[in-house]
Amino acid sequence: MLRVRNSRDRAAFASLFEHFAPRIKGFLIKSGADATTAEECAQDVMTTLWRKADQFDPTRASVSTWIFTIARNRRIDMLRRNRRPEPEELTWGPEPEPEQSAVIEMQQESARLVEAIAALPENQRKLIEQAYFGELTQAEISKITGLPLGTIKSRIRLALDRLRHAMK
């Protein structure tokens, strides 16, 4: 690695590649990647090793630790990229008017939901309003109200259960 870092030695890089690329691929496959993705990611890791060889510091980590840290980070990037939803097909122009029956049904359902929320016990209603209309996390609500996080979670769960039954 030092020869790659200090003098861009291609033969030394070839040795590193020969040794580490299959191990990185195996590591990625064990981590849940398919063979093609693991191969592609291993190639990317080795390319990064070549490009960022000057950043290797043997006093901070061994070569294998440094390389597998790069591989681990690439795996995380790969998982994030794969979990990102694809954008929906955008249509051009105005949206067609919804059917009148659908509009009426939506209005009736909204009115039932307003009634169901109003019928909740006040301690549950306030938490639902903060969580869903105020867009606060349960931890934020806990800090604001001073209630334990477990109490917040229980009350919201109970409120959602009541709402679910009321909307049936």
Side-chain angles (χ1 to χ4, degrees):
M1 186 62 212
L2 294 176
R3 290 192 346 237
V4 173
R5 181 187 76 179
N6 297 336
S7 60
R8 303 303 253 176
D9 186 329
R10 291 178 185 265
F13 178 73
S15 294
L16 283 171
F17 191 96
E18 189 177 304
H19 179 77
F20 282 106
R23 287 166 176 78
I24 293 168
K25 182 179 175 183
F27 165 73
L28 294 169
I29 289 172
K30 286 179 186 174
S31 298
D34 61 81
T36 304
T37 304
E39 178 75 31
E40 184 180 309
C41 193
Q43 295 283 335
D44 186 47
V45 168
M46 296 309 292
T47 302
T48 301
L49 181 139
W50 177 259
R51 285 185 297 121
K52 297 188 175 190
D54 61 314
Q55 295 179 7
F56 173 68
D57 181 357
T59 62
R60 293 182 60 197
S62 68
V63 174
S64 61
T65 301
W66 188 65
I67 291 172
F68 279 95
T69 299
I70 294 170
R72 178 189 157 277
N73 291 339
R74 285 293 182 276
R75 185 179 123 255
I76 291 168
D77 292 343
M78 177 181 65
L79 289 171
R80 286 182 183 147
R81 184 175 56 239
N82 290 341
R83 287 185 183 147
R84 187 169 293 144
E86 292 295 321
E88 293 180 21
E89 185 71 29
L90 298 177
T91 58
W92 294 99
E95 298 247 344
E97 288 292 319
E99 293 288 326
Q100 191 64 26
S101 61
V103 171
I104 292 171
E105 185 179 329
M106 182 72 81
Q107 288 173 339
Q108 290 172 344
E109 192 170 304
S110 294
R112 281 190 10 239
L113 180 59
V114 168
E115 289 174 17
I117 291 173
L120 288 173
E122 185 177 351
N123 61 1
Q124 292 177 3
R125 183 180 43 77
K126 284 182 179 181
L127 296 178
I128 290 292
E129 288 171 351
Q130 289 174 319
Y132 292 95
F133 303 124
E135 297 183 2
L136 297 174
T137 66
Q138 293 175 345
E140 291 169 334
I141 295 170
S142 176
K143 283 182 183 176
I144 291 169
T145 62
L147 293 170
L149 184 58
T151 301
I152 301 294
K153 290 181 179 195
S154 294
R155 287 183 184 173
I156 288 176
R157 183 179 41 77
L158 290 171
L160 290 174
D161 196 42
R162 285 183 176 189
L163 292 175
R164 194 173 303 112
H165 288 293
M167 296 304 290
K168 285 186 178 179

